[in-house]
Amino acid sequence: MRARRNLTAAVAAAAVAGAALLPTAGPAAAHQVSRASVESDAGDGIVALQSEVLALVALDVWPAPVPQRLQDVHDEYASYVDGLDRRALVAGVLSADADGARVLERLRAGGGRPSPSEVAALGPLRSEDRTALREGRPLSLLPEDYVRALDELEDLASGAGPAPAGTQEPGAPGPTRTAVPVTATAPATSSATSSATSPGTSSGTSPVTSPTAAPATPASGDRPGTGLPVGVLGPAAALALVAASVVALRRRRRPAGTVLSARHVVGLLDAGRLLGDARDVDAVAQVAVAELTKLLRVEATVLLAADGRGGGRQVLADPRGCLDGAPEPVAGLLARVAATGQASLEVLDDDPCLGDRAVLAVPVLAGGEVVAVLAAVRPAGQPFGLDELRVATELAPLVASALHGAAALETVRTQATRDALTGLPNRRSLDLDLRAEVELHAGRTTAVVMVDVDHFKKFNDREGHAAGDAALQAVARVLAAAVRDQDGAYRYGGEEFCLLVRQVTEAEVRALLDRVLDAVRAVDVPGAAAQPAGHLSVSAGVALVETEDAAVAVLRADEALYRAKELGRDRYALAPPLAGPAAARPPTDPAADPAEPDPSDRHGRV
């Protein structure tokens, strides 16, 4: 703790002491301001050139061997361009080239004196080089120009380069100014403070000498470009300033797109939290496009499934309708990214799906396979850059993880609520749906219909379990096709099924079951002709429900089913109101054995 307080005091005292050594105005101060501006611009130039070199080496535009200096840049940051196709790399070169041209303008405007190599490397690519770049031909610009420009810019960024033109070096003749006392507030015990005060003066006050008295060149040990002598700062403060300078310079030297801004880091953290909260694929898709829209500040984003759901690529989220009217399956750039797994930055020209727009598209990978494509679009005059590609690339794994989790959750949910053999919702789903129907829609009539395959045990024993499974699947298809979208068909267990028919009248239920009985009779499965009726058949019991308990409704429908069985099977029976006994109309021929119904009346009405 004492060491930390001493370091804090030393840095504070050094800052004050350093300020006391500087004039309040004049050529030296102007020189330092101009120098700082040039150093900053040089750092930006390094970023632009390294970004451009990274993509150029990846594009293999220069004959081997590439200068080691440039190869080192590529090798250090190669992971940031892995997976990019040629068009995306070309777009990255052009984006970095534009950044370099802007830096060159600032260097000149700020009094800098760019060398021929800096002008060649930072200046805009010539039109023939742009064409060669797009066509995959060698560039006229030599790699040695980039090497020299990087070395010179690094010298300039570190303060070792030439002074900006039009500024006066410290110590050069200039107007004389009166010394102004500056009060230092650092503790008198600080070594920095002691060295900053001259003999015979109080520890709290240091005189400022005239600029004309300043030495012509920095003293030995001075940090170039700061005007603060290291000897004045003291060891602790000097070490802190040097470390900060190294960190700042290293950050400036990283290529564009390799360092996320604070806003993007916070945005990605928020996106990860929201994606983690999404519980189904649709919710994940909506969150993904909304977060990418915020992160890149674009108007429209798209998430396209690439896993063949529904037999082809499917648009999971497209809130702005970018793909409205697009051909199916989706073609063009999005299809290419889905097929190759390579990200892309392009300005499209008459794309079959996206038209004439600037597009950024990244693959969403899970288990080494492309499961989706995340894309952002905006007007063609606003192309995307490598920094935006980095943001989308960082978001993609979060989306992949959320999609995987949501799909796994849907699988578990499906296994818990659907019958594996028939694909129908199971008894658990029926219990939940029926309870909700009775509780939420009391007063409207709902039909609960229990359905059972006639003589199924005999069929299964005679034909085998495979044939029995086929018969159950055929009956399930008939029931699912018979009900409306608002209704439900469920496998209750074994050879027993249930229908939940909402907001229905007795006449509508009778018409529905007539169709079901006829459709089951027509089912063609092996062994159906050997059944007692000469075909596959079912019996059904119906309970019309308004306000009663769900369990009571199922029990009443089940009792009506047994009544239909007693009357000869291949028919349905209607449960009476709770206050009256059940009644079922017997077969047309009263003499017929109820266990063997008259073939002319397979579904006697009750």
Side-chain angles (χ1 to χ4, degrees):
M1 181 66 71
R2 180 177 299 175
R4 182 179 298 176
R5 286 198 298 268
N6 289 342
L7 176 59
T8 303
V11 172
V16 175
L21 297 176
L22 296 176
T24 56
H31 166 76
Q32 289 168 6
V33 172
S34 179
R35 166 74 77 177
S37 175
V38 171
E39 289 177 11
S40 177
D41 290 338
D44 292 340
I46 294 171
V47 172
L49 285 189
Q50 287 192 332
S51 300
E52 192 169 338
V53 166
L54 176 62
L56 286 172
V57 174
L59 286 167
D60 199 22
V61 299
W62 291 308
V66 175
Q68 191 60 45
R69 179 79 165 81
L70 305 187
Q71 189 65 51
D72 290 344
V73 170
H74 173 270
D75 293 346
E76 183 175 0
Y77 303 110
S79 62
Y80 296 107
V81 294
D82 285 348
L84 295 185
D85 60 13
R86 180 174 184 81
R87 294 188 182 185
L89 291 171
V90 169
V93 171
L94 297 179
S95 175
D97 180 63
D99 292 340
R102 286 190 288 269
V103 169
L104 183 61
E105 291 177 3
R106 293 204 306 269
L107 284 170
R108 287 168 169 164
R113 294 172 291 189
S115 70
S117 294
E118 292 169 355
V119 172
L122 288 173
L125 287 173
R126 295 186 301 177
S127 59
E128 52 266 34
D129 280 334
R130 289 172 174 265
T131 302
L133 187 65
R134 293 189 177 97
E135 296 176 354
R137 294 185 283 107
L139 305 184
S140 63
L141 187 60
L142 299 176
E144 289 75 17
D145 287 329
Y146 284 90
V147 174
R148 287 190 292 269
L150 283 170
D151 290 341
E152 292 164 357
L153 287 171
E154 288 190 349
D155 287 342
L156 190 57
S158 66
T167 62
Q168 193 169 2
E169 295 284 352
T176 302
R177 298 188 61 84
T178 305
V180 179
V182 177
T183 302
T185 58
T189 57
S190 167
S191 61
T193 306
S194 300
S195 63
T197 57
S198 56
T201 64
S202 69
S203 61
T205 306
S206 296
V208 178
T209 60
S210 167
T212 58
T217 58
S220 175
D222 286 6
R223 179 177 176 272
T226 64
L228 298 179
V230 171
V232 173
L233 295 179
L239 180 62
L241 286 177
V242 170
S245 300
V246 171
V247 171
L249 185 57
R250 284 184 61 84
R251 289 191 65 184
R252 287 204 302 267
R253 290 180 180 179
R254 295 178 68 87
T258 63
V259 179
L260 293 173
S261 69
R263 182 182 75 83
H264 287 148
V265 171
V266 173
L268 287 168
L269 290 173
D270 288 342
R273 176 179 54 80
L274 293 172
L275 287 167
D277 291 340
R279 288 294 178 264
D280 56 66
V281 171
D282 289 339
V284 170
Q286 296 302 326
V287 170
V289 297
E291 292 305 302
L292 184 61
T293 300
K294 288 194 295 186
L295 284 166
L296 300 187
R297 294 175 175 171
V298 294
E299 294 184 358
T301 50
V302 173
L303 183 65
L304 174 75
D307 58 355
R309 285 179 43 170
R313 295 186 181 92
Q314 175 186 355
V315 177
L316 295 179
D318 182 15
R320 292 299 183 95
C322 293
L323 299 179
D324 288 352
E328 296 182 1
V330 172
L333 170 67
L334 297 180
R336 187 172 70 249
V337 173
T340 64
Q342 292 187 326
S344 184
L345 293 172
E346 292 188 39
V347 177
L348 300 177
D349 182 13
D350 198 24
D351 184 85
C353 292
L354 297 172
D356 301 334
R357 293 177 179 174
V359 180
L360 178 156
V362 295
V364 178
L365 302 171
E369 296 183 355
V370 180
V371 298
V373 175
L374 186 62
V377 299
R378 63 188 179 201
Q382 304 173 31
F384 289 95
L386 289 177
D387 53 341
E388 293 168 308
L389 177 64
R390 171 70 190 281
V391 174
T393 302
E394 294 290 343
L395 179 62
L398 303 179
V399 176
S401 178
L403 286 174
H404 177 75
L409 188 61
E410 287 186 358
T411 299
V412 172
R413 189 183 296 121
T414 296
Q415 291 173 343
T417 58
R418 282 197 174 268
D419 173 58
L421 176 64
T422 63
L424 294 180
N426 60 15
R427 180 173 177 175
R428 174 181 174 81
S429 294
L430 172 65
D431 292 342
L432 294 173
D433 292 350
L434 182 55
R435 185 179 302 117
E437 179 66 23
V438 171
E439 292 176 356
L440 300 178
H441 302 289
R444 79 178 190 185
T445 302
T446 298
V448 178
V449 183
M450 298 301 296
V451 180
D452 185 87
V453 180
D454 295 331
H455 300 294
F456 183 74
K457 186 177 185 306
K458 293 180 180 179
F459 181 92
N460 210 37
D461 292 343
R462 183 180 69 248
E463 304 296 336
H465 292 293
D469 288 348
L472 292 176
Q473 290 170 335
V475 171
R477 288 193 293 271
V478 168
L479 297 177
V483 296
R484 303 164 298 182
D485 291 341
Q486 69 194 59
D487 305 327
Y490 307 81
R491 187 180 182 192
Y492 196 74
E495 69 271 26
E496 202 165 11
F497 298 85
C498 183
L499 300 179
L500 192 58
V501 189
R502 295 175 171 87
Q503 202 166 356
V504 69
T505 64
E506 179 180 329
E508 291 171 334
V509 175
R510 289 182 180 277
L512 168 66
L513 291 178
D514 283 341
R515 295 195 302 272
V516 167
L517 294 174
D518 287 338
V520 171
R521 291 192 196 100
V523 166
D524 183 16
V525 293
Q531 286 293 86
H535 52 72
L536 206 61
S537 65
V538 295
S539 299
V542 184
L544 296 177
V545 179
E546 290 187 0
T547 59
E548 64 197 81
D549 182 82
V552 174
V554 172
L555 179 60
R556 290 177 58 221
D558 207 39
E559 290 175 348
L561 169 62
Y562 279 105
R563 178 61 177 157
K565 293 280 189 181
E566 291 173 355
L567 292 174
R569 298 182 175 85
D570 194 16
R571 66 190 65 208
Y572 59 85
L574 200 68
L578 289 175
R585 195 178 79 183
T588 302
D589 182 0
D593 182 356
E596 296 296 335
D598 183 355
S600 65
D601 187 8
R602 295 297 181 188
H603 49 282
R605 292 172 173 78
V606 179

